[in-house]
């Protein structure tokens, strides 16, 4: 065995090793604390999404009150609201579900939607949505069929 003379070999001192172990243990402690908080955060997120879904459902229900169905095509439901004497449609658009008038503008009903489908099975609209967090929701709304003209 031959020893190299001149330069000493680089190595950790006992103090440096203890400091590294201390930093490592503090990091593990912080990660453990964060992981304990994760279920609470996820539960809070889903509760918030549930509230937004129910508020959006109530808003759509109120908007469809007294309205009559016109047609359903390409994941859009068209209807007429006699109280406002206007034609509207409800549709998924980008990451939202929105209500649109027949001319300009739109009203977002629910944001944070990954996918949504709208179907009309007389006399109900069935709305199924998946949020960006992966929650699935489904609601049905009464929408009277179009009255036949004599």
């Amino acid at each position: 065995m031959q020893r190299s003379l001149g330069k000493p070999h680089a190595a950790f001192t006992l103090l440096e090793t203890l400091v590294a172990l201390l930093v490592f243990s503090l990091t593990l402690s912080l990660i453990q604390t964060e992981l304990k908080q994760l279920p609470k955060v996820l539960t809070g997120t889903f509760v918030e999404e549930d509230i937004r879904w129910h508020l959006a459902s109530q808003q759509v229900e109120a908007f469809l009150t007294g309205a009559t169905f016109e047609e359903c095509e390409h994941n859009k439901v068209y209807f007429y609201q006699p109280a406002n004497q206007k034609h509207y449609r409800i549709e998924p658009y980008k990451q939202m579900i929105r209500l649109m008038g027949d001319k300009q503008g739109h009203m977002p009903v629910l944001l944070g939607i990954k996918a949504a489908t709208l179907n009309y099975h007389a006399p109900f609209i069935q709305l199924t949505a998946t949020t960006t967090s992966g929650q699935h929701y489904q609601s049905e709304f009464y929408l009277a069929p179009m009255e036949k003209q004599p």
Side-chain angles (χ1 to χ4, degrees):
M1 250 166 83
Q2 194 177 20
R3 288 186 90 149
S4 63
L5 298 172
K7 289 185 184 177
H9 290 300
F12 284 109
T13 64
L14 181 59
L15 182 61
E16 290 172 327
T17 305
L18 289 175
V19 169
L21 285 173
L22 178 67
V23 169
F24 183 71
S25 65
L26 286 174
T27 304
L28 284 179
S29 172
L30 289 172
I31 290 172
Q32 183 181 12
T33 304
E34 291 299 320
L35 288 175
K36 284 181 183 176
Q37 296 296 323
L38 186 61
K40 292 178 186 175
V41 170
L42 290 176
T43 303
T45 301
F46 292 138
V47 167
E48 193 174 302
E49 281 183 352
D50 285 346
I51 292 170
R52 283 189 301 179
W53 174 259
H54 290 294
L55 287 173
S57 295
Q58 291 297 320
Q59 187 177 15
V60 170
E61 184 76 38
F63 203 80
L64 292 175
T65 300
T68 57
F69 172 77
E70 290 182 326
E71 68 177 306
C72 179
E73 64 179 22
H74 307 296
N75 212 19
K76 299 174 186 174
V77 176
Y78 296 83
F79 58 95
Y80 177 72
Q81 194 175 59
N84 297 339
Q85 297 182 348
K86 290 186 180 179
H87 299 270
Y88 293 96
R89 76 175 179 253
I90 184 167
E91 65 183 355
Y93 177 74
K94 295 187 178 178
Q95 289 191 333
M96 73 172 91
I97 297 170
R98 70 179 181 176
L99 283 167
M100 287 199 58
D102 56 352
K103 303 223 185 230
Q104 295 180 4
H106 71 266
M107 179 176 74
V109 176
L110 185 62
L111 301 173
I113 299 298
K114 183 169 33 175
T117 57
L118 285 159
N119 295 309
Y120 184 74
H121 303 287
F124 294 100
I125 295 175
Q126 183 181 46
L127 172 60
T128 306
T130 304
T131 62
T132 51
S133 68
Q135 286 287 97
H136 299 284
Y137 295 97
Q138 182 175 344
S139 287
E140 289 188 346
F141 307 99
Y142 177 77
L143 183 58
M146 185 186 302
E147 296 176 12
K148 301 205 178 181
Q149 301 293 330

